[in-house]
Amino acid sequence: MTRIKADIIGDIWIDDVYQRGPSVPPIGYFIPDKRYYFVYEFDVPENTPSWGTEFTTDFLINGVVINSQGCVPGASNGKNYGVYYTTFKEEGEYLIEISGKNKKQLNVVVKKNA
């Protein structure tokens, strides 16, 4: 298997891969103890074989690697999606980062419902 760091394109967004909503929940902040999905898009260069190639990324919160994954290309000459999820246990401000060949970041605020 050939492992390549993913070239992440666009911004990180949350929830549904097919409905790119705003980067933060409609209420403007995240709620503790709720699972959130962070979606990213990566480029698949022309002539990339569908099998035998894996595009890798790391998921970091406040600079600490929480998870790593590899995604096989769903289609060559196109764009593919990857998803990480996390649950914030504590209120506060967090820096979400998805890192591959490049990196994308998202600042989030976590607090209880007012």
Side-chain angles (χ1 to χ4, degrees):
M1 176 80 56
T2 302
R3 295 175 60 92
I4 300 169
K5 290 190 178 283
D7 183 9
I8 303 165
I9 53 179
D11 293 322
I12 300 170
W13 69 97
I14 61 167
D15 297 323
D16 190 346
V17 68
Y18 299 108
Q19 296 180 359
R20 290 192 203 179
S23 294
V24 296
I27 58 175
Y29 56 88
F30 294 78
I31 300 169
D33 298 320
K34 180 179 179 194
R35 181 180 287 182
Y36 290 98
Y37 295 85
F38 294 91
V39 184
Y40 64 96
E41 186 175 25
F42 64 92
D43 183 53
V44 177
E46 190 172 337
N47 299 319
T48 299
S50 296
W51 296 101
T53 303
E54 185 176 60
F55 291 89
T56 62
T57 56
D58 295 321
F59 180 68
L60 297 86
I61 298 178
N62 292 340
V64 176
V65 176
I66 304 300
N67 198 356
S68 298
Q69 70 182 12
C71 297
V72 294
S76 62
N77 308 330
K79 300 170 185 171
N80 282 233
Y81 302 95
V83 178
Y84 285 104
Y85 66 87
T86 195
T87 302
F88 299 101
K89 297 293 181 190
E90 303 289 330
E91 292 183 293
E93 295 185 17
Y94 297 87
L95 177 63
I96 301 296
E97 180 179 310
I98 297 176
S99 178
K101 182 178 179 180
N102 54 350
K103 66 181 175 182
K104 299 293 178 172
Q105 297 179 326
L106 176 66
N107 288 304
V108 302
V109 174
V110 178
K111 64 182 184 176
K112 294 180 181 172
N113 283 328

Short mmCIF file of all heavy atoms in Angstrom, two decimals, residues 28-93:
data_model
loop_
_atom_site.label_atom_id
_atom_site.label_comp_id
_atom_site.label_asym_id
_atom_site.label_seq_id
_atom_site.Cartn_x
_atom_site.Cartn_y
_atom_site.Cartn_z
N GLY A 28 -23.94 28.65 17.31
CA GLY A 28 -22.71 29.43 17.42
C GLY A 28 -21.64 28.83 18.30
O GLY A 28 -20.56 29.37 18.42
N TYR A 29 -21.92 27.71 18.94
CA TYR A 29 -20.93 27.05 19.78
C TYR A 29 -21.27 25.56 19.89
O TYR A 29 -22.35 25.13 19.50
CB TYR A 29 -20.88 27.68 21.18
CG TYR A 29 -22.21 27.70 21.91
CD1 TYR A 29 -22.62 26.63 22.69
CD2 TYR A 29 -23.06 28.80 21.81
CE1 TYR A 29 -23.84 26.63 23.35
CE2 TYR A 29 -24.28 28.82 22.46
CZ TYR A 29 -24.67 27.73 23.23
OH TYR A 29 -25.88 27.74 23.87
N PHE A 30 -20.33 24.80 20.40
CA PHE A 30 -20.48 23.37 20.56
C PHE A 30 -20.92 23.06 21.99
O PHE A 30 -20.64 23.83 22.90
CB PHE A 30 -19.16 22.66 20.26
CG PHE A 30 -18.74 22.79 18.82
CD1 PHE A 30 -18.16 23.95 18.35
CD2 PHE A 30 -18.92 21.73 17.94
CE1 PHE A 30 -17.77 24.08 17.02
CE2 PHE A 30 -18.53 21.85 16.61
CZ PHE A 30 -17.96 23.02 16.16
N ILE A 31 -21.59 21.96 22.19
CA ILE A 31 -22.12 21.58 23.50
C ILE A 31 -21.31 20.40 24.04
O ILE A 31 -21.04 19.45 23.29
CB ILE A 31 -23.60 21.18 23.39
CG1 ILE A 31 -24.42 22.36 22.85
CG2 ILE A 31 -24.16 20.70 24.72
CD1 ILE A 31 -25.82 22.00 22.46
N PRO A 32 -20.92 20.41 25.31
CA PRO A 32 -20.20 19.27 25.88
C PRO A 32 -21.02 17.98 25.79
O PRO A 32 -22.25 18.00 25.82
CB PRO A 32 -20.00 19.66 27.35
CG PRO A 32 -20.15 21.14 27.39
CD PRO A 32 -21.11 21.49 26.29
N ASP A 33 -20.32 16.87 25.68
CA ASP A 33 -20.88 15.52 25.69
C ASP A 33 -21.76 15.20 24.48
O ASP A 33 -22.56 14.27 24.51
CB ASP A 33 -21.66 15.25 26.98
CG ASP A 33 -20.74 15.33 28.19
OD1 ASP A 33 -19.59 14.84 28.10
OD2 ASP A 33 -21.15 15.89 29.22
N LYS A 34 -21.63 15.96 23.40
CA LYS A 34 -22.33 15.66 22.14
C LYS A 34 -21.26 15.33 21.10
O LYS A 34 -20.25 16.02 21.02
CB LYS A 34 -23.18 16.85 21.69
CG LYS A 34 -23.89 16.57 20.40
CD LYS A 34 -24.76 17.73 19.97
CE LYS A 34 -25.41 17.36 18.64
NZ LYS A 34 -26.00 18.46 17.95
N ARG A 35 -21.50 14.29 20.31
CA ARG A 35 -20.53 13.91 19.28
C ARG A 35 -20.67 14.84 18.07
O ARG A 35 -21.76 15.06 17.59
CB ARG A 35 -20.75 12.46 18.85
CG ARG A 35 -19.74 12.02 17.79
CD ARG A 35 -19.95 10.61 17.36
NE ARG A 35 -19.52 9.73 18.43
CZ ARG A 35 -19.55 8.41 18.35
NH1 ARG A 35 -20.03 7.82 17.28
NH2 ARG A 35 -19.13 7.68 19.35
N TYR A 36 -19.53 15.33 17.61
CA TYR A 36 -19.49 16.18 16.41
C TYR A 36 -18.57 15.54 15.39
O TYR A 36 -17.53 14.97 15.72
CB TYR A 36 -18.97 17.58 16.75
CG TYR A 36 -19.95 18.38 17.57
CD1 TYR A 36 -19.83 18.46 18.95
CD2 TYR A 36 -21.00 19.05 16.95
CE1 TYR A 36 -20.73 19.20 19.70
CE2 TYR A 36 -21.91 19.78 17.70
CZ TYR A 36 -21.77 19.85 19.07
OH TYR A 36 -22.66 20.57 19.82
N TYR A 37 -18.97 15.66 14.13
CA TYR A 37 -18.21 15.11 13.01
C TYR A 37 -17.55 16.26 12.27
O TYR A 37 -18.22 17.21 11.88
CB TYR A 37 -19.14 14.34 12.07
CG TYR A 37 -19.74 13.13 12.72
CD1 TYR A 37 -20.90 13.21 13.49
CD2 TYR A 37 -19.12 11.89 12.59
CE1 TYR A 37 -21.43 12.10 14.11
CE2 TYR A 37 -19.66 10.77 13.20
CZ TYR A 37 -20.81 10.89 13.96
OH TYR A 37 -21.33 9.78 14.57
N PHE A 38 -16.24 16.16 12.07
CA PHE A 38 -15.48 17.17 11.35
C PHE A 38 -15.09 16.60 10.00
O PHE A 38 -14.37 15.60 9.91
CB PHE A 38 -14.25 17.58 12.16
CG PHE A 38 -14.62 18.29 13.43
CD1 PHE A 38 -14.81 17.58 14.61
CD2 PHE A 38 -14.81 19.66 13.44
CE1 PHE A 38 -15.18 18.23 15.78
CE2 PHE A 38 -15.18 20.32 14.60
CZ PHE A 38 -15.36 19.60 15.77
N VAL A 39 -15.58 17.23 8.95
CA VAL A 39 -15.45 16.72 7.59
C VAL A 39 -14.42 17.56 6.84
O VAL A 39 -14.37 18.78 6.99
CB VAL A 39 -16.81 16.78 6.86
CG1 VAL A 39 -16.71 16.15 5.48
CG2 VAL A 39 -17.89 16.09 7.68
N TYR A 40 -13.62 16.89 6.03
CA TYR A 40 -12.65 17.59 5.19
C TYR A 40 -12.66 16.95 3.80
O TYR A 40 -13.09 15.82 3.62
CB TYR A 40 -11.25 17.54 5.80
CG TYR A 40 -10.66 16.16 5.91
CD1 TYR A 40 -9.79 15.68 4.93
CD2 TYR A 40 -10.98 15.32 6.96
CE1 TYR A 40 -9.26 14.40 5.02
CE2 TYR A 40 -10.46 14.05 7.06
CZ TYR A 40 -9.59 13.60 6.08
OH TYR A 40 -9.07 12.33 6.16
N GLU A 41 -12.20 17.72 2.86
CA GLU A 41 -12.14 17.26 1.47
C GLU A 41 -10.67 17.21 1.07
O GLU A 41 -9.89 18.08 1.45
CB GLU A 41 -12.90 18.26 0.61
CG GLU A 41 -13.07 17.89 -0.82
CD GLU A 41 -13.96 18.89 -1.55
OE1 GLU A 41 -14.06 20.07 -1.12
OE2 GLU A 41 -14.56 18.49 -2.56
N PHE A 42 -10.30 16.17 0.32
CA PHE A 42 -8.92 16.10 -0.15
C PHE A 42 -8.89 15.78 -1.64
O PHE A 42 -9.81 15.19 -2.19
CB PHE A 42 -8.07 15.10 0.66
CG PHE A 42 -8.52 13.66 0.57
CD1 PHE A 42 -7.99 12.81 -0.38
CD2 PHE A 42 -9.46 13.16 1.46
CE1 PHE A 42 -8.38 11.48 -0.45
CE2 PHE A 42 -9.86 11.84 1.42
CZ PHE A 42 -9.32 10.99 0.45
N ASP A 43 -7.83 16.22 -2.27
CA ASP A 43 -7.66 16.07 -3.72
C ASP A 43 -7.08 14.70 -4.05
O ASP A 43 -6.22 14.20 -3.33
CB ASP A 43 -6.71 17.17 -4.23
CG ASP A 43 -6.55 17.13 -5.73
OD1 ASP A 43 -7.58 17.14 -6.43
OD2 ASP A 43 -5.40 17.09 -6.20
N VAL A 44 -7.58 14.12 -5.10
CA VAL A 44 -7.02 12.88 -5.63
C VAL A 44 -6.43 13.22 -7.00
O VAL A 44 -7.16 13.50 -7.95
CB VAL A 44 -8.10 11.78 -5.77
CG1 VAL A 44 -7.51 10.53 -6.39
CG2 VAL A 44 -8.71 11.47 -4.41
N PRO A 45 -5.10 13.24 -7.11
CA PRO A 45 -4.46 13.62 -8.37
C PRO A 45 -4.85 12.70 -9.53
O PRO A 45 -5.18 11.53 -9.33
CB PRO A 45 -2.96 13.50 -8.07
CG PRO A 45 -2.86 13.57 -6.59
CD PRO A 45 -4.12 12.95 -6.07
N GLU A 46 -4.78 13.25 -10.69
CA GLU A 46 -5.07 12.50 -11.91
C GLU A 46 -4.19 11.25 -11.98
O GLU A 46 -3.03 11.28 -11.59
CB GLU A 46 -4.82 13.39 -13.13
CG GLU A 46 -5.31 12.82 -14.42
CD GLU A 46 -5.22 13.81 -15.56
OE1 GLU A 46 -5.20 15.02 -15.29
OE2 GLU A 46 -5.18 13.35 -16.71
N ASN A 47 -4.75 10.17 -12.46
CA ASN A 47 -4.07 8.88 -12.65
C ASN A 47 -3.70 8.17 -11.35
O ASN A 47 -2.86 7.28 -11.35
CB ASN A 47 -2.83 9.03 -13.53
CG ASN A 47 -3.18 9.54 -14.91
OD1 ASN A 47 -4.18 9.12 -15.50
ND2 ASN A 47 -2.39 10.46 -15.43
N THR A 48 -4.32 8.54 -10.24
CA THR A 48 -4.10 7.82 -8.98
C THR A 48 -4.86 6.50 -9.05
O THR A 48 -6.06 6.50 -9.33
CB THR A 48 -4.61 8.63 -7.78
OG1 THR A 48 -3.90 9.87 -7.72
CG2 THR A 48 -4.42 7.86 -6.49
N PRO A 49 -4.18 5.37 -8.82
CA PRO A 49 -4.91 4.10 -8.87
C PRO A 49 -5.94 4.01 -7.75
O PRO A 49 -5.74 4.49 -6.65
CB PRO A 49 -3.82 3.04 -8.66
CG PRO A 49 -2.55 3.76 -8.44
CD PRO A 49 -2.78 5.22 -8.53
N SER A 50 -7.10 3.41 -8.06
CA SER A 50 -8.17 3.27 -7.08
C SER A 50 -7.78 2.33 -5.94
O SER A 50 -8.26 2.47 -4.83
CB SER A 50 -9.44 2.74 -7.74
OG SER A 50 -9.91 3.67 -8.68
N TRP A 51 -6.94 1.38 -6.22
CA TRP A 51 -6.51 0.41 -5.21
C TRP A 51 -5.02 0.55 -4.98
O TRP A 51 -4.27 0.84 -5.89
CB TRP A 51 -6.82 -1.02 -5.66
CG TRP A 51 -8.29 -1.22 -5.78
CD1 TRP A 51 -9.02 -1.21 -6.93
CD2 TRP A 51 -9.22 -1.43 -4.72
NE1 TRP A 51 -10.34 -1.41 -6.66
CE2 TRP A 51 -10.50 -1.54 -5.31
CE3 TRP A 51 -9.11 -1.52 -3.35
CZ2 TRP A 51 -11.65 -1.75 -4.56
CZ3 TRP A 51 -10.25 -1.73 -2.59
CH2 TRP A 51 -11.49 -1.85 -3.20
N GLY A 52 -4.61 0.36 -3.75
CA GLY A 52 -3.19 0.37 -3.42
C GLY A 52 -2.66 1.73 -3.01
O GLY A 52 -1.47 1.87 -2.75
N THR A 53 -3.53 2.75 -2.96
CA THR A 53 -3.11 4.08 -2.53
C THR A 53 -3.98 4.52 -1.37
O THR A 53 -5.19 4.34 -1.39
CB THR A 53 -3.25 5.11 -3.68
OG1 THR A 53 -2.50 4.65 -4.80
CG2 THR A 53 -2.76 6.48 -3.27
N GLU A 54 -3.34 5.08 -0.36
CA GLU A 54 -4.06 5.54 0.82
C GLU A 54 -3.61 6.96 1.14
O GLU A 54 -2.42 7.24 1.20
CB GLU A 54 -3.75 4.60 1.98
CG GLU A 54 -4.52 4.88 3.23
CD GLU A 54 -4.23 3.83 4.30
OE1 GLU A 54 -3.05 3.71 4.71
OE2 GLU A 54 -5.17 3.15 4.71
N PHE A 55 -4.58 7.88 1.30
CA PHE A 55 -4.28 9.25 1.63
C PHE A 55 -4.43 9.43 3.14
O PHE A 55 -5.48 9.14 3.70
CB PHE A 55 -5.23 10.20 0.87
CG PHE A 55 -4.96 10.20 -0.61
CD1 PHE A 55 -5.60 9.31 -1.44
CD2 PHE A 55 -4.05 11.09 -1.15
CE1 PHE A 55 -5.35 9.30 -2.80
CE2 PHE A 55 -3.78 11.09 -2.51
CZ PHE A 55 -4.43 10.19 -3.34
N THR A 56 -3.37 9.89 3.80
CA THR A 56 -3.34 9.91 5.27
C THR A 56 -3.49 11.33 5.83
O THR A 56 -3.06 12.30 5.21
CB THR A 56 -2.03 9.31 5.80
OG1 THR A 56 -0.93 10.11 5.34
CG2 THR A 56 -1.85 7.88 5.33
N THR A 57 -4.12 11.40 7.00
CA THR A 57 -4.26 12.65 7.74
C THR A 57 -4.18 12.36 9.23
O THR A 57 -4.36 11.22 9.66
CB THR A 57 -5.61 13.34 7.46
OG1 THR A 57 -6.67 12.43 7.76
CG2 THR A 57 -5.72 13.82 6.02
N ASP A 58 -3.94 13.42 9.99
CA ASP A 58 -3.98 13.37 11.45
C ASP A 58 -5.03 14.36 11.92
O ASP A 58 -5.23 15.42 11.30
CB ASP A 58 -2.63 13.78 12.06
CG ASP A 58 -1.52 12.81 11.73
OD1 ASP A 58 -1.78 11.59 11.72
OD2 ASP A 58 -0.39 13.28 11.49
N PHE A 59 -5.68 14.02 13.03
CA PHE A 59 -6.69 14.88 13.65
C PHE A 59 -6.12 15.33 14.99
O PHE A 59 -5.81 14.51 15.85
CB PHE A 59 -7.98 14.09 13.84
CG PHE A 59 -9.09 14.85 14.48
CD1 PHE A 59 -9.70 15.90 13.82
CD2 PHE A 59 -9.56 14.51 15.74
CE1 PHE A 59 -10.75 16.61 14.41
CE2 PHE A 59 -10.60 15.20 16.34
CZ PHE A 59 -11.20 16.25 15.67
N LEU A 60 -5.96 16.65 15.15
CA LEU A 60 -5.37 17.20 16.36
C LEU A 60 -6.35 18.13 17.07
O LEU A 60 -7.13 18.83 16.41
CB LEU A 60 -4.12 18.01 16.03
CG LEU A 60 -2.95 17.27 15.39
CD1 LEU A 60 -3.08 17.20 13.88
CD2 LEU A 60 -1.65 17.96 15.73
N ILE A 61 -6.30 18.11 18.39
CA ILE A 61 -7.02 19.08 19.20
C ILE A 61 -5.99 19.75 20.10
O ILE A 61 -5.27 19.06 20.84
CB ILE A 61 -8.13 18.42 20.04
CG1 ILE A 61 -9.17 17.76 19.12
CG2 ILE A 61 -8.80 19.46 20.95
CD1 ILE A 61 -10.28 17.03 19.85
N ASN A 62 -5.90 21.06 19.98
CA ASN A 62 -4.91 21.85 20.73
C ASN A 62 -3.50 21.30 20.57
O ASN A 62 -2.73 21.22 21.53
CB ASN A 62 -5.30 21.96 22.21
CG ASN A 62 -6.54 22.79 22.42
OD1 ASN A 62 -6.92 23.58 21.56
ND2 ASN A 62 -7.18 22.62 23.55
N GLY A 63 -3.17 20.90 19.35
CA GLY A 63 -1.82 20.46 19.04
C GLY A 63 -1.49 19.02 19.38
O GLY A 63 -0.37 18.57 19.15
N VAL A 64 -2.45 18.27 19.91
CA VAL A 64 -2.23 16.87 20.29
C VAL A 64 -2.95 15.97 19.29
O VAL A 64 -4.15 16.15 19.03
CB VAL A 64 -2.75 16.60 21.71
CG1 VAL A 64 -2.61 15.13 22.07
CG2 VAL A 64 -2.04 17.48 22.72
N VAL A 65 -2.23 15.01 18.72
CA VAL A 65 -2.84 14.07 17.78
C VAL A 65 -3.82 13.17 18.53
O VAL A 65 -3.44 12.47 19.47
CB VAL A 65 -1.78 13.21 17.05
CG1 VAL A 65 -2.44 12.17 16.16
CG2 VAL A 65 -0.84 14.09 16.24
N ILE A 66 -5.08 13.22 18.13
CA ILE A 66 -6.14 12.43 18.73
C ILE A 66 -6.38 11.15 17.94
O ILE A 66 -6.70 10.10 18.50
CB ILE A 66 -7.45 13.25 18.81
CG1 ILE A 66 -7.22 14.55 19.57
CG2 ILE A 66 -8.59 12.44 19.40
CD1 ILE A 66 -6.75 14.37 21.00
N ASN A 67 -6.23 11.25 16.61
CA ASN A 67 -6.49 10.11 15.74
C ASN A 67 -5.76 10.33 14.43
O ASN A 67 -5.45 11.46 14.06
CB ASN A 67 -8.00 9.97 15.51
CG ASN A 67 -8.39 8.60 15.00
OD1 ASN A 67 -7.54 7.75 14.73
ND2 ASN A 67 -9.68 8.37 14.86
N SER A 68 -5.51 9.24 13.72
CA SER A 68 -4.93 9.28 12.37
C SER A 68 -5.70 8.30 11.52
O SER A 68 -6.22 7.31 12.02
CB SER A 68 -3.45 8.88 12.40
OG SER A 68 -2.71 9.78 13.18
N GLN A 69 -5.79 8.61 10.23
CA GLN A 69 -6.49 7.68 9.36
C GLN A 69 -5.94 7.77 7.95
O GLN A 69 -5.32 8.73 7.56
CB GLN A 69 -7.99 7.95 9.35
CG GLN A 69 -8.42 9.22 8.66
CD GLN A 69 -9.93 9.45 8.73
OE1 GLN A 69 -10.64 8.80 9.46
NE2 GLN A 69 -10.41 10.39 7.96
N GLY A 70 -6.22 6.72 7.20
CA GLY A 70 -5.92 6.69 5.79
C GLY A 70 -7.20 6.41 5.03
O GLY A 70 -8.02 5.61 5.47
N CYS A 71 -7.37 7.11 3.93
CA CYS A 71 -8.56 6.93 3.10
C CYS A 71 -8.13 6.50 1.71
O CYS A 71 -7.23 7.11 1.12
CB CYS A 71 -9.35 8.23 2.98
SG CYS A 71 -10.00 8.86 4.51
N VAL A 72 -8.76 5.47 1.18
CA VAL A 72 -8.50 5.10 -0.20
C VAL A 72 -9.34 6.00 -1.09
O VAL A 72 -10.42 6.44 -0.69
CB VAL A 72 -8.81 3.60 -0.46
CG1 VAL A 72 -7.86 2.72 0.30
CG2 VAL A 72 -10.24 3.28 -0.13
N PRO A 73 -8.85 6.31 -2.29
CA PRO A 73 -9.62 7.20 -3.16
C PRO A 73 -10.89 6.51 -3.65
O PRO A 73 -10.85 5.37 -4.10
CB PRO A 73 -8.67 7.49 -4.31
CG PRO A 73 -7.70 6.36 -4.32
CD PRO A 73 -7.60 5.89 -2.90
N GLY A 74 -12.01 7.20 -3.55
CA GLY A 74 -13.27 6.66 -4.05
C GLY A 74 -13.35 6.78 -5.55
O GLY A 74 -13.99 5.99 -6.23
N ALA A 75 -12.70 7.80 -6.09
CA ALA A 75 -12.68 8.02 -7.55
C ALA A 75 -11.40 8.76 -7.87
O ALA A 75 -10.97 9.61 -7.11
CB ALA A 75 -13.89 8.84 -7.97
N SER A 76 -10.78 8.42 -8.98
CA SER A 76 -9.57 9.15 -9.35
C SER A 76 -9.97 10.44 -10.06
O SER A 76 -11.11 10.60 -10.49
CB SER A 76 -8.67 8.30 -10.24
OG SER A 76 -9.33 7.99 -11.44
N ASN A 77 -9.04 11.34 -10.16
CA ASN A 77 -9.25 12.63 -10.82
C ASN A 77 -10.36 13.43 -10.15
O ASN A 77 -11.09 14.15 -10.80
CB ASN A 77 -9.58 12.45 -12.30
CG ASN A 77 -8.58 11.58 -13.01
OD1 ASN A 77 -7.41 11.55 -12.64
ND2 ASN A 77 -9.02 10.87 -14.02
N GLY A 78 -10.50 13.30 -8.86
CA GLY A 78 -11.59 14.01 -8.21
C GLY A 78 -11.27 14.36 -6.79
O GLY A 78 -10.12 14.39 -6.37
N LYS A 79 -12.33 14.58 -6.04
CA LYS A 79 -12.22 14.97 -4.66
C LYS A 79 -12.85 13.88 -3.80
O LYS A 79 -13.83 13.26 -4.20
CB LYS A 79 -12.92 16.29 -4.43
CG LYS A 79 -12.33 17.41 -5.27
CD LYS A 79 -13.19 18.63 -5.21
CE LYS A 79 -12.65 19.69 -6.16
NZ LYS A 79 -13.57 20.81 -6.28
N ASN A 80 -12.27 13.64 -2.67
CA ASN A 80 -12.80 12.67 -1.73
C ASN A 80 -12.96 13.33 -0.38
O ASN A 80 -12.40 14.39 -0.12
CB ASN A 80 -11.84 11.49 -1.61
CG ASN A 80 -11.95 10.53 -2.78
OD1 ASN A 80 -12.13 9.35 -2.59
ND2 ASN A 80 -11.83 11.03 -3.99
N TYR A 81 -13.68 12.67 0.50
CA TYR A 81 -13.98 13.21 1.81
C TYR A 81 -13.47 12.29 2.90
O TYR A 81 -13.49 11.07 2.76
CB TYR A 81 -15.48 13.41 1.99
CG TYR A 81 -16.07 14.32 0.95
CD1 TYR A 81 -16.66 13.81 -0.20
CD2 TYR A 81 -16.02 15.70 1.10
CE1 TYR A 81 -17.18 14.65 -1.17
CE2 TYR A 81 -16.54 16.54 0.14
CZ TYR A 81 -17.12 16.02 -0.99
OH TYR A 81 -17.63 16.85 -1.95
N GLY A 82 -13.06 12.89 4.00
CA GLY A 82 -12.70 12.15 5.20
C GLY A 82 -13.45 12.77 6.37
O GLY A 82 -13.86 13.93 6.31
N VAL A 83 -13.63 11.98 7.42
CA VAL A 83 -14.39 12.45 8.57
C VAL A 83 -13.70 11.99 9.85
O VAL A 83 -13.28 10.83 9.97
CB VAL A 83 -15.83 11.87 8.56
CG1 VAL A 83 -16.60 12.34 9.79
CG2 VAL A 83 -16.56 12.25 7.30
N TYR A 84 -13.58 12.90 10.79
CA TYR A 84 -13.17 12.58 12.15
C TYR A 84 -14.30 12.98 13.07
O TYR A 84 -15.07 13.89 12.75
CB TYR A 84 -11.92 13.37 12.55
CG TYR A 84 -10.65 12.87 11.93
CD1 TYR A 84 -10.05 13.53 10.88
CD2 TYR A 84 -10.02 11.72 12.43
CE1 TYR A 84 -8.86 13.08 10.33
CE2 TYR A 84 -8.84 11.26 11.88
CZ TYR A 84 -8.27 11.94 10.82
OH TYR A 84 -7.10 11.49 10.29
N TYR A 85 -14.39 12.33 14.21
CA TYR A 85 -15.40 12.75 15.18
C TYR A 85 -14.78 12.83 16.56
O TYR A 85 -13.78 12.20 16.85
CB TYR A 85 -16.62 11.82 15.17
CG TYR A 85 -16.33 10.42 15.63
CD1 TYR A 85 -16.40 10.09 16.99
CD2 TYR A 85 -16.00 9.42 14.73
CE1 TYR A 85 -16.14 8.80 17.42
CE2 TYR A 85 -15.74 8.14 15.16
CZ TYR A 85 -15.81 7.83 16.50
OH TYR A 85 -15.54 6.55 16.92
N THR A 86 -15.40 13.68 17.38
CA THR A 86 -14.96 13.82 18.76
C THR A 86 -16.11 14.31 19.61
O THR A 86 -17.09 14.86 19.10
CB THR A 86 -13.74 14.77 18.88
OG1 THR A 86 -13.14 14.61 20.16
CG2 THR A 86 -14.15 16.22 18.68
N THR A 87 -15.97 14.11 20.90
CA THR A 87 -16.91 14.61 21.90
C THR A 87 -16.09 15.45 22.87
O THR A 87 -15.09 14.99 23.41
CB THR A 87 -17.58 13.44 22.66
OG1 THR A 87 -18.25 12.61 21.71
CG2 THR A 87 -18.57 13.95 23.68
N PHE A 88 -16.50 16.68 23.06
CA PHE A 88 -15.82 17.56 23.99
C PHE A 88 -16.39 17.33 25.39
O PHE A 88 -17.60 17.44 25.59
CB PHE A 88 -16.01 19.03 23.59
CG PHE A 88 -15.44 19.33 22.23
CD1 PHE A 88 -16.27 19.43 21.13
CD2 PHE A 88 -14.09 19.53 22.05
CE1 PHE A 88 -15.77 19.71 19.87
CE2 PHE A 88 -13.56 19.81 20.80
CZ PHE A 88 -14.41 19.90 19.71
N LYS A 89 -15.54 17.00 26.33
CA LYS A 89 -15.99 16.73 27.70
C LYS A 89 -16.06 17.99 28.54
O LYS A 89 -16.85 18.07 29.48
CB LYS A 89 -15.04 15.73 28.38
CG LYS A 89 -15.02 14.37 27.70
CD LYS A 89 -16.35 13.69 27.88
CE LYS A 89 -16.34 12.31 27.24
NZ LYS A 89 -17.67 11.74 27.18
N GLU A 90 -15.24 18.97 28.23
CA GLU A 90 -15.14 20.18 29.04
C GLU A 90 -15.46 21.42 28.22
O GLU A 90 -15.20 21.46 27.02
CB GLU A 90 -13.71 20.32 29.59
CG GLU A 90 -13.22 19.15 30.40
CD GLU A 90 -13.90 19.02 31.74
OE1 GLU A 90 -14.31 20.06 32.30
OE2 GLU A 90 -14.02 17.89 32.24
N GLU A 91 -15.99 22.43 28.88
CA GLU A 91 -16.18 23.72 28.24
C GLU A 91 -14.82 24.35 27.98
O GLU A 91 -13.84 24.03 28.64
CB GLU A 91 -17.00 24.65 29.15
CG GLU A 91 -18.44 24.22 29.32
CD GLU A 91 -19.22 25.20 30.18
OE1 GLU A 91 -18.90 25.32 31.39
OE2 GLU A 91 -20.12 25.86 29.62
N GLY A 92 -14.76 25.24 27.00
CA GLY A 92 -13.52 25.93 26.70
C GLY A 92 -13.38 26.23 25.23
O GLY A 92 -14.30 26.03 24.44
N GLU A 93 -12.21 26.71 24.87
CA GLU A 93 -11.88 26.99 23.47
C GLU A 93 -10.88 25.95 23.01
O GLU A 93 -9.93 25.63 23.73
CB GLU A 93 -11.33 28.40 23.33
CG GLU A 93 -12.37 29.45 23.67
CD GLU A 93 -11.88 30.87 23.42
OE1 GLU A 93 -10.88 31.05 22.69
OE2 GLU A 93 -12.51 31.79 23.96
#
